[in-house]
Amino acid sequence: MRVIIILIIFELAQTWPTCHAKVPPMPDIRSLAFGSCIVAVAVLLPAVVHAQAGAPPTSTPAPADTLTPPAVLDLPTIEVVGRDLGAVLRQTGTVHTLSLRDVEALRPVSTEDALRRLPGINTKSEEETSIISNIGLRGLSAGEAKSLLLEDGVPVAPGLLIGNDRYFNPRIQRVERVEVLKGSSSLRYGPSTIGGVVNFITRTPEEGTRLSARTGSFGMNELMMEAGSRSSGGTAYAGVVGTHSRSDGFMDKGYRMNDLMVKAGLSLGDRHRLGLKLSWYENDANISYRGHFLDDFLAGASFNPAPDDVYLTGRRAVDLNHRFQLGDRAVLSSVAYWSNLHRDYWRYSVDTDASNAAGRWVYTDALTGNNRSFDRFGLDSRLKFEHDLLGVASDAEFGVRGFHEESDDRRIRATRAEDRMGPNDRHRIDSATSLAIHLHNRVQLTDRIALTPGVRMEAYEQEREVLTGDDPPPSTSTSNTEFLPGLGGTFTVSPAVQLYGGIYRAFSPASNGVALDGMTDQLLEAERSTNLEVGVRGSQGALQYELAVFRMDFQNQVVTGNTDPRLSRSNAGATLHQGAEVSLGYGLTEALALSGNVTWVPTSRFESGENAGNRIPYTPRVMANLALDIESGPFRSSLLVHHRGEQFGDETNLREIPDLAEDGIWGGLMPSYTTLDLTGEWRAVGSVSVFGAVKNLTDERFITGLRQGIYVGPERSFELGMQYTL
C-alpha cells in the first residue's frame, strides 16, 4: 500500500506549475511503455511480499522475541570496495567513499557536486545538475573519459567502446553511497580504468515511507519519495524511490527531470538471493554546448547563451542480480543487465559575422538534431573463494564479463518553422562486443604482509555501418585484445598504520569514430598506461589519514596523422601524470569534527607531438577541500570549502580567452577559485526534519569550462527542505 501511495504522489507531482524553461513535453511511446511496466511491478511486488508474509508457516515458528529480521533484505549487489573496514584494508590501491550521511551533509544537486569533494577528482560542470558527465581523476582531463563509472557495479556510460560515453550521469537523488577505487585493485573492472573506478550504490529504502521536498533558487522544486516493504521473515522485499525535480535553472538553463527506481529481492533458502532493479529516467533540459563571450562574462551576464537549444535524454534499465553461497569459503555473484538511453540534442546554427558584431551568439533559423540512442546488454559473474594453496592462506576472485552495445546515430536537418522535422542526412550504426576475464589472488604471506598478483584480459570488436550517402561502404570493423597484468601489496606496520602500493597496466580503447575513422580500420591499439602507486593509511584515536603518491605513464596515445598515407591516426602520443593525494579527518570534540583533502598534480603534460611540454587541459595543479562539521543533539551543520586551481582549456595552453566567434572559444587559462557552502539539518520532532543550504556563500563568479564560450559556475543560491517519515 505504501508503494501505491508513493506512486500516486509521484504522479501528482507532474501537475506542479511548470518552469519557464523552453522545454516542451516530448512523449515517447517506448518510455511510456517501460514506465508503465515499472509502475505495475512497483504495485504488484508489495502484494507478493505481503502474500508471503501471510502464508501459513511450514514449520514451528521461533518465539517472537527471537525474530529480529533486518529492516531491509540484503540485496545482492556488486560493490567495488565493500562497507567494512576489512574490505578497505584488503585493497592495494587508494579508497575513498561517501556514506549516505556524508551525502546528506553535502546536500549536493548532482553526483559531480559530491565527487569534487573527494581527493583526486576534478569536474567540468556544464550546468548545476551535471546532466552530462565530466570528471577527471589524477591529472587526467575532465573533458575525456578514462575512468569507469558504475551504478551498483554495472556500467552506466552509454558507449564504453563505441564512444559518446558522457551522455548519462546517475542522479544523486537515488544514490546512498559512493565508492572510488584507484590503483591496482581497479584491474578487476574495465574497460577504461586508467584513473580508477567510481561506483554509485543506489538506495534500498528501509521499511516504511519517507517523503521529502525542497525548494530553492532559480525556481527549483523537488519532491522525492521512498517506500519499502518486507515479509515478516525478512525473506522478500520490495521498494521504490521516485524523484520529480524541475527548475528554471541558473542562467535560465531550465530542466524537468523524473527518476523512478524499483527494487525487489527474494531469499531462496540459505544459499541463494535474487535482486531486481528497474529504473526509468527522463530529463528535458534547456542547455547547450555554447557559453558566454568574454565581455558578457566580465559584465556579469546571467542570460542563457543558447535559449532555444534543448537536450532531451531518457534511460531505461534492468539489473538482475544473483548471489550463490557455495559454502563457508566461496560465493558466486552475478548480474545480468540491459539499458537503453536516448539523447536528442537540438541546436540552432549561428551567424559568425553577426555574432562577432553583437558580442554574443546570434542564431539563424537552421536547426540540427544530433539524435542518438544506445543499447547495451551484458553479464558479469564473479567467484570469490578462500583457499590454502601450498599451505598459504589466500583469497581469490575470478571473473568473467561480457557485453554488447550498439548506437543508432541520426542527424536531422530542420528549421525554426518546421521544428524538429526534416531529412536525415547522416545515419550510422556503431556497435561493439567485449569479453573480459580477470583473476586476482591475495596471498597472506604473514600476519602483516599480503601480496595480490592479478591479470585481466579484455578482447573487443568494433564495427561501424553507414546507412546514408551515394555509395557508402556497407561496414568496416576492427578488433583488439589487451593483456593487463598487475601486482599490489599491503603491509600492516601497526594497528594504526598500513602501507599499500601496486603497479599495473591499464588501458582506454579508441572509440569507433577514431578506430574506424574514414570508414578505414586505423590499425590502432588501445591507449595504454603503466600506473604506479604507493600509499599509507590508518587511524589513531580521533585521527584518520591517507596519503598516496602516483604516476601514470602513457606511451601510445592516439594522435592525428600516420606515416602510412592510407591511415589518418596512429599510436604515437605520450603523456605523463604524477602527483600526490592526502586526506585527513580529526574529531576535535564529540560535537565538532574537521576534515579535508589536498590533491597536488605538478606533472600532467604531453611528452610528444607539437604540444610536447604543454599541460593537459582541465588538470589543475592543486585541488583542495575542507569541511567543519558540527553535530549537537537534533542539529547538525557543515561548512564546506572547495578550491580548484587554475587550468588550461586546450592542448595549446592558450592563456588569453578568445573573444570572437570564429576562434571557437575553446581555449584559455581559467583562473582558480574557492567556494564556500553552508548546510544544516534540524530533526524537529520525531519523524520530521528540516534542512537547508546556502551554496557559494561569497557569491564567487568563476569559470567551470570553455566550450564554444564560457561556462559560468552557479551564483549564490539557497535551498530549504523538509523530510517526513511515515
Side-chain angles (χ1 to χ4, degrees):
M1 185 64 184
R2 293 187 183 95
V3 176
I4 297 175
I5 294 173
I6 287 300
L7 291 169
I8 292 173
I9 296 175
F10 185 76
E11 184 65 27
L12 289 175
Q14 312 302 309
T15 65
W16 285 12
T18 59
C19 65
H20 301 317
K22 299 179 181 179
V23 183
M26 291 290 294
D28 181 1
I29 298 300
R30 293 177 302 173
S31 297
L32 292 175
F34 192 79
S36 300
C37 290
I38 290 185
V39 171
V41 172
V43 172
L44 293 175
L45 279 174
V48 175
V49 171
H50 285 295
Q52 288 202 9
T58 57
S59 60
T60 304
D65 58 359
T66 67
L67 292 175
T68 56
V72 176
L73 179 71
D74 180 21
L75 298 182
T77 300
I78 293 180
E79 295 184 342
V80 170
V81 178
R83 297 174 184 263
D84 60 280
L85 179 60
V88 174
L89 297 179
R90 285 191 294 272
Q91 306 299 329
T92 60
T94 305
V95 174
H96 293 104
T97 62
L98 290 173
S99 66
L100 177 59
R101 188 173 182 82
D102 296 328
V103 172
E104 291 177 341
L106 294 172
R107 297 293 168 192
V109 295
S110 70
T111 49
E112 290 185 7
D113 193 13
L115 285 175
R116 67 191 179 103
R117 311 291 178 173
L118 295 173
I121 299 181
N122 184 34
T123 63
K124 185 177 77 75
S125 300
E126 299 183 10
E127 38 72 41
E128 66 263 31
T129 63
S130 299
I131 295 171
I132 300 170
S133 173
N134 289 287
I135 67 168
L137 276 68
R138 290 188 162 177
L140 296 173
S141 174
E144 298 180 358
K146 288 184 169 57
S147 301
L148 183 63
L149 294 183
L150 307 174
E151 182 181 275
D152 295 327
V154 172
V156 292
L160 291 175
L161 295 168
I162 58 182
N164 303 306
D165 49 1
R166 302 185 302 118
Y167 290 160
F168 177 72
N169 211 359
R171 297 297 86 193
I172 191 63
Q173 291 88 346
R174 66 162 68 179
V175 174
E176 75 167 16
R177 178 178 168 83
V178 181
E179 302 176 314
V180 180
L181 177 64
K182 307 161 194 168
S184 58
S185 295
S186 63
L187 265 183
R188 295 178 290 134
Y189 303 89
S192 296
T193 58
I194 293 173
V197 183
V198 177
N199 188 28
F200 299 104
I201 299 176
T202 58
R203 295 171 182 256
T204 301
E206 295 186 358
E207 187 177 23
T209 302
R210 187 171 73 169
L211 306 176
S212 65
R214 64 175 170 174
T215 187
S217 301
F218 320 129
M220 186 270 286
N221 292 289
E222 180 180 290
L223 177 64
M224 181 174 174
M225 298 142 286
E226 299 179 57
S229 182
R230 59 169 174 81
S231 62
S232 59
T235 59
Y237 167 85
V240 60
V241 178
T243 303
H244 172 74
S245 182
R246 60 178 64 201
S247 172
D248 296 339
F250 172 61
M251 291 189 168
D252 294 326
K253 296 181 179 181
Y255 62 88
R256 184 179 65 246
M257 185 274 288
N258 295 310
D259 189 37
L260 184 64
M261 179 179 66
V262 175
K263 284 188 172 183
L266 187 63
S267 181
L268 303 175
D270 297 332
R271 303 177 67 186
H272 295 274
R273 287 189 177 179
L274 294 175
L276 174 68
K277 184 179 80 172
L278 307 176
S279 61
W280 174 75
Y281 159 82
E282 64 176 15
N283 200 340
D284 296 351
N286 197 180
I287 63 175
S288 174
Y289 290 154
R290 299 193 185 276
H292 282 298
F293 281 28
L294 181 60
D295 287 345
D296 276 338
F297 169 74
L298 296 175
S302 60
F303 61 87
N304 188 338
D308 297 325
D309 289 2
V310 292
Y311 194 95
L312 313 174
T313 53
R315 185 177 189 265
R316 285 91 66 194
V318 180
D319 295 353
L320 180 61
N321 283 270
H322 176 236
R323 184 162 65 222
F324 180 18
Q325 192 71 42
L326 296 170
D328 294 338
R329 306 183 70 186
V331 60
L332 177 65
S333 299
S334 303
V335 57
Y337 53 89
W338 168 85
S339 66
N340 167 267
L341 180 137
H342 69 266
R343 187 224 66 165
D344 293 354
Y345 177 29
W346 294 93
R347 59 184 305 191
Y348 283 91
S349 300
V350 298
D351 184 322
T352 300
D353 292 337
S355 298
N356 284 335
R360 62 188 59 176
W361 296 113
V362 175
Y363 295 89
T364 69
D365 291 334
L367 176 64
T368 300
N370 291 306
N371 303 336
R372 296 164 184 165
S373 64
F374 302 82
D375 285 274
R376 179 189 296 124
F377 58 87
L379 176 67
D380 190 329
S381 190
R382 297 164 185 267
L383 175 64
K384 295 182 179 181
F385 57 97
E386 299 175 1
H387 63 90
D388 300 302
L389 183 64
L390 301 178
V392 180
S394 304
D395 56 88
E397 177 177 304
F398 173 73
V400 178
R401 190 234 59 215
F403 70 79
H404 175 80
E405 61 185 19
E406 183 172 301
S407 71
D408 188 325
D409 184 355
R410 305 173 185 232
R411 184 172 63 191
I412 310 300
R413 299 296 191 181
T415 65
R416 198 177 295 271
E418 297 182 355
D419 191 21
R420 305 181 193 177
M421 297 177 60
N424 174 13
D425 72 344
R426 186 193 67 200
H427 188 190
R428 59 194 180 201
I429 305 295
D430 282 312
S431 62
T433 302
S434 173
L435 177 65
I437 60 174
H438 73 269
L439 175 62
H440 282 67
N441 188 70
R442 183 175 184 270
V443 182
Q444 194 71 45
L445 298 177
T446 70
D447 291 340
R448 302 164 70 181
I449 300 175
L451 286 180
T452 306
V455 64
R456 181 181 188 87
M457 186 179 71
E458 186 146 355
Y460 56 93
E461 183 176 1
Q462 299 161 286
E463 183 177 359
R464 167 166 285 189
E465 183 179 5
V466 176
L467 304 180
T468 51
D470 296 332
D471 186 22
S475 66
T476 186
S477 63
T478 188
S479 60
N480 202 358
T481 300
E482 295 296 322
F483 182 77
L484 310 167
L487 177 64
T490 60
F491 173 42
T492 303
V493 179
S494 71
V497 181
Q498 185 191 56
L499 302 177
Y500 63 88
I503 183 170
Y504 68 105
R505 175 68 62 87
F507 87 106
S508 179
S511 66
N512 282 32
V514 175
L516 303 173
D517 186 28
M519 294 301 289
T520 300
D521 182 359
Q522 298 295 317
L523 305 178
L524 294 176
E525 298 178 349
E527 296 184 332
R528 300 191 193 100
S529 173
T530 300
N531 293 5
L532 175 67
E533 178 186 41
V534 177
V536 58
R537 59 188 166 217
S539 62
Q540 180 68 52
L543 175 67
Q544 295 181 328
Y545 63 91
E546 183 159 19
L547 168 66
V549 294
F550 58 87
R551 176 186 173 95
M552 297 182 291
D553 190 358
F554 283 89
Q555 293 300 323
N556 65 329
Q557 288 188 301
V558 176
V559 298
T560 301
N562 196 304
T563 55
D564 186 335
R566 299 170 300 169
L567 305 177
S568 60
R569 307 293 181 108
S570 62
N571 291 103
T575 62
L576 179 64
H577 315 256
Q578 53 190 17
E581 301 168 353
V582 60
S583 57
L584 298 169
Y586 187 73
L588 302 172
T589 68
E590 290 186 359
L592 190 64
L594 186 66
S595 61
N597 58 71
V598 176
T599 303
W600 178 54
V601 187
T603 303
S604 180
R605 66 172 180 257
F606 295 98
E607 296 281 276
S608 64
E610 61 182 1
N611 295 314
N614 286 359
R615 190 165 181 88
I616 306 293
Y618 293 102
T619 59
R621 293 179 186 275
V622 177
M623 296 181 292
N625 292 283
L626 185 66
L628 180 64
D629 301 304
I630 302 173
E631 182 166 6
S632 179
F635 174 78
R636 66 171 176 168
S637 179
S638 298
L639 178 63
L640 308 164
V641 183
H642 174 71
H643 174 80
R644 192 192 73 182
E646 63 181 16
Q647 57 184 353
F648 290 103
D650 73 342
E651 294 86 351
T652 68
N653 286 186
L654 180 71
R655 302 190 69 86
E656 299 296 328
I657 297 176
D659 58 1
L660 294 176
E662 64 261 24
D663 295 323
I665 317 181
W666 291 87
L669 181 62
M670 291 166 275
S672 63
Y673 66 84
T674 302
T675 59
L676 281 74
D677 296 346
L678 179 65
T679 68
E681 179 183 6
W682 178 49
R683 294 183 293 277
V685 287
S687 57
V688 178
S689 62
V690 179
F691 57 87
V694 183
K695 304 291 183 65
N696 193 1
L697 266 169
T698 59
D699 204 20
E700 179 92 356
R701 188 168 176 84
F702 57 97
I703 300 175
T704 63
L706 298 169
R707 184 173 186 177
Q708 297 180 9
I710 297 172
Y711 292 163
V712 185
E715 64 190 18
R716 184 192 295 121
S717 62
F718 302 87
E719 297 175 16
L720 183 64
M722 183 176 70
Q723 179 177 287
Y724 176 60
T725 303
L726 300 177

